[in-house]
Amino acid sequence: MDEYVKMTSIELSEWKNRMEAAPSFTNAFAKRLQVRINKIIPEKVHVAITAAIKQIIRGVCFGIGYTTKEPATGLLLEEVEKKVDEKIIFYARTAAAEGAATGAAGILVGLADFPLWLTLKMKMLFELAALYGYNAKDYKERLFLLYIFELTFSSQENRQKIFRIVEHWDDYARTLPENMDEFDWRTFQQEYRDYIDIAKLLQLVPGIGAVVGALVNLRLTKKLGRTAKNAYRLRALSSQGH
């Protein structure tokens, strides 16, 4: 085992401990805060956000608006992750610039930011999947991307459940129907909507403005990138017997 793989294994073990940790007082407080923020946001905003999420999920599942790159081959993990880090930085900065522009324009334009930002995040995940050598043309791999989303933006209680699926993905994927039309997408979407990007709603509160828009997009895009990186590390090291 080379030094980079050793370092990665240590980092991965620490990440797994965080994913499996019991909900803390801070987690409970954050959840209560999220509920209060939800009550502030007008109903029409919630409706628009739900519609945006449905559209993104539809795009992921059926390939609408997304291109898939050929999976990378023949690269060492260190080489892959150098490229992965560059992609995460690129997409985080792009998302921050887009969030600053729409955040400065008020709530109506802020609504337009949500689907744009979701699309940016999804494009990032498609590219990361290819770098780690996975083919996102396979609907099961696209479903894995959605679980990465949910793992990133869940409450700690739900995160524990999703992490078990991600950690044992190959076993779980074998239980999925071969035809994606047979999968229960409606139930998945409803679960996904309950947890996705609650912090993002802060940008839509009047008066917060461009600074928060940029910071929210930057921070949460990086968070998604780190989660994806560790999720694929799990699979990469497992396939190598580590």
Side-chain angles (χ1 to χ4, degrees):
M1 186 186 299
D2 65 34
E3 288 303 315
Y4 188 82
V5 172
K6 288 181 181 178
M7 180 196 72
T8 298
S9 297
I10 293 171
E11 292 178 356
L12 191 57
S13 179
E14 293 172 349
W15 179 73
K16 288 173 64 176
N17 289 338
R18 292 195 297 273
M19 294 298 101
E20 296 174 325
S24 65
F25 172 80
T26 303
N27 297 141
F29 176 78
K31 182 63 177 178
R32 289 196 298 270
L33 178 61
Q34 290 168 356
V35 171
R36 294 182 65 181
I37 292 170
N38 269 333
K39 292 179 179 178
I40 296 173
I41 303 299
E43 182 59 27
K44 65 180 181 180
V45 176
H46 287 290
V47 171
I49 289 172
T50 300
I53 291 172
K54 286 182 178 180
Q55 186 63 27
I56 294 299
I57 291 177
R58 182 169 177 265
V60 172
C61 297
F62 295 99
I64 300 170
Y66 295 101
T67 56
T68 56
K69 294 188 176 182
E70 290 299 316
T73 58
L75 296 177
L76 297 174
L77 182 61
E78 184 172 6
E79 296 173 311
V80 168
E81 295 202 334
K82 181 179 179 181
K83 295 178 182 292
V84 165
D85 290 340
E86 290 171 354
K87 289 294 182 183
I88 293 172
I89 291 171
F90 169 78
Y91 277 101
R93 289 176 176 172
T94 302
E98 183 261 323
T102 54
I107 191 167
L108 293 178
V109 178
L111 284 175
D113 167 73
F114 198 82
L116 289 173
W117 184 57
L118 283 175
T119 300
L120 271 177
K121 291 193 302 180
M122 211 62 241
K123 287 181 180 294
M124 177 180 74
L125 291 186
F126 269 65
E127 293 203 30
L128 298 192
L131 285 172
Y132 279 103
Y134 294 99
N135 190 347
K137 292 179 181 178
D138 183 339
Y139 101 88
K140 293 182 180 181
E141 291 299 331
R142 293 182 178 219
L143 182 59
F144 185 71
L145 301 184
L146 295 181
Y147 277 116
I148 289 175
F149 260 60
E150 191 170 358
L151 183 64
T152 305
F153 301 112
S154 287
S155 65
Q156 186 61 26
E157 182 178 359
N158 191 61
R159 183 174 291 125
Q160 292 173 315
K161 179 182 71 176
I162 300 303
F163 177 72
R164 287 192 290 271
I165 293 174
V166 169
E167 184 180 22
H168 303 289
W169 178 254
D170 289 341
D171 292 334
Y172 179 76
R174 282 193 285 270
T175 70
L176 296 172
E178 291 302 319
N179 186 339
M180 65 185 300
D181 293 329
E182 297 175 12
F183 190 78
D184 187 356
W185 296 111
R186 180 179 176 84
T187 298
F188 182 87
Q189 185 276 326
Q190 289 172 339
E191 289 291 321
Y192 183 61
R193 173 63 184 93
D194 285 344
Y195 298 99
I196 186 70
D197 290 354
I198 299 300
K200 183 63 178 170
L201 298 178
L202 286 167
Q203 186 181 341
L204 302 179
V205 178
I208 288 181
V211 174
V212 171
L215 290 176
V216 167
N217 279 15
L218 180 72
R219 181 175 65 84
L220 293 183
T221 304
K222 283 184 176 180
K223 182 179 181 181
L224 177 63
R226 289 193 299 270
T227 302
K229 184 176 178 179
N230 281 303
Y232 280 116
R233 279 176 164 181
L234 273 177
R235 296 176 69 183
L237 294 185
S238 176
S239 67
Q240 295 173 17
H242 298 304

